[in-house]
Amino acid sequence: MTARVAEQSRFVRPLLDAVGSVVVGQSHMVERLLIGLLTGGHVLLEGVPGLAKTLTVSTLARAVDARFQRIQFTPDLLPADLLGTLVYNQADATFLVKKGPIFANVILADEVNRAPAKVQSALLEAMQERQVTIGETTYPLPRPFLVLATQNPIEQEGTYPLPEAQVDRFMLKVVVDYPTRDEEIEIMRRMSHGTPPPSVSPVVSPEQVLQARAVVGEVYLDARVEEYVVDLVLATREPERYGLRDLRGLVAYGASPRASIALALAARAHAFLEGRAYATPDDVRAVALDVLRHRVAVTYEAEAEDVASDQIVRRVLDTVEVP
């Protein structure tokens, strides 16, 4: 198994180098995008404008030689603009299917929270079922299929809060932070000349990604690590049971069983990226915040006390016993 992991993960370093030739820093975001790619899990990127979210996603898609589509979500977007529609052909009096931009390998849903409920519902079917329905016919989406969505945390005017059911479909929610001082100097040097970013050549094929996914699913997860994953998730639902009495009244509801699945799979992918054929509690802890932060809803009391879900997840990680 170790040899298989080494064989299938050979593209990781060239892929990171290819993305790094265009994007300065943001290693955490790039690693989480790779975890999504290796597991088929969708990723929600949250950060202020100008942090290279769109550039990173498009560069990654080019490096994977995948078909990439950027969809700008707006309040007047219609489901047909996303999925496609039936077009009447007068020549033979039939309807032809015109597929929408959702039929791609990597979808960038830019400012996903600006689209109305009907569009979110259409996107939800694509994310969960990997298929879309146009007219009376259902069409499978290409493999691999990955939705990478962005949202702006500081501007709420003209936005529609994402339904909890849809937020739960994102495997990871990554908070994108500002670059460091040295990174920002390098960004300025690269981009202030007015020249476009360098083009990236493909370093891995979609078929290789699918083969790597199969190996990621076989990365060993010990029974004690599995129990640790479940304990972390249960602690978000029943904090007092795990000695977290200070969280009483702060958690409206905890993470669903989908979180346990996502946490185990993300830990396997993290171990795969490290070149290991087994996942450890450290792998679980490394990805836990990104897996759980959007699955823990806080109460009005928590909001009044300025307690966010990130703080609750960190308290859970600090308290639940590590095997």
Side-chain angles (χ1 to χ4, degrees), residues 235 239-248 312 315-316 319-320:
E240 293 184 47
R241 176 181 169 186
Y242 289 85
L244 291 160
R245 294 180 178 83
D246 56 323
L247 298 184
R248 180 187 300 173
I312 291 172
R315 285 283 295 116
V316 168
T319 304
V320 174

Side-chain angles (χ1 to χ4, degrees), residues 195-252:
T195 56
S199 60
V200 174
S201 300
V203 298
V204 61
S205 67
E207 291 73 24
Q208 289 175 284
V209 172
L210 293 175
Q211 291 170 7
R213 280 186 185 179
V215 175
V216 168
E218 296 176 20
V219 169
Y220 178 69
L221 204 65
D222 188 80
R224 288 173 297 177
V225 179
E226 291 178 335
E227 292 173 1
Y228 180 55
V229 167
V230 174
D231 283 337
L232 288 176
V233 174
L234 288 179
T236 66
R237 302 179 206 162
E238 308 169 38
E240 293 184 47
R241 176 181 169 186
Y242 289 85
L244 291 160
R245 294 180 178 83
D246 56 323
L247 298 184
R248 180 187 300 173
L250 301 181
V251 180

Side-chain angles (χ1 to χ4, degrees), residues 126-181:
M127 291 172 61
Q128 182 64 27
E129 308 298 336
R130 263 69 174 184
Q131 65 182 29
V132 299
T133 303
I134 303 175
E136 297 180 353
T137 308
T138 299
Y139 299 90
L141 292 168
R143 297 183 66 221
F145 174 74
L146 191 64
V147 174
L148 306 175
T150 69
Q151 66 179 16
N152 181 351
I154 59 175
E155 185 182 357
Q156 299 303 320
E157 185 177 349
T159 63
Y160 300 82
L162 294 179
E164 297 300 335
Q166 183 172 355
V167 172
D168 198 37
R169 259 63 172 196
F170 286 102
M171 181 183 192
L172 305 170
K173 179 182 178 182
V174 182
V175 175
V176 185
D177 206 353
Y178 289 106
T180 64
R181 182 176 183 272

Side-chain angles (χ1 to χ4, degrees), residues 16-64:
L16 290 173
D17 291 341
V19 176
S21 68
V22 177
V23 180
V24 178
Q26 299 297 4
S27 57
H28 180 81
M29 173 171 60
V30 173
E31 182 185 78
R32 295 308 185 260
L33 292 177
L34 282 182
I35 289 175
L37 188 67
L38 290 168
T39 58
H42 310 297
V43 182
L44 178 61
L45 303 175
E46 182 176 280
V48 299
L51 297 182
K53 300 185 294 296
T54 301
L55 179 63
T56 304
V57 171
S58 61
T59 303
L60 179 66
R62 285 196 296 270
V64 178

Side-chain angles (χ1 to χ4, degrees), residues 49-81:
L51 297 182
K53 300 185 294 296
T54 301
L55 179 63
T56 304
V57 171
S58 61
T59 303
L60 179 66
R62 285 196 296 270
V64 178
D65 197 18
R67 188 182 173 199
F68 169 71
Q69 285 283 1
R70 173 183 174 178
I71 306 171
Q72 187 67 45
F73 278 51
T74 57
D76 60 348
L77 194 71
L78 299 174
D81 298 328

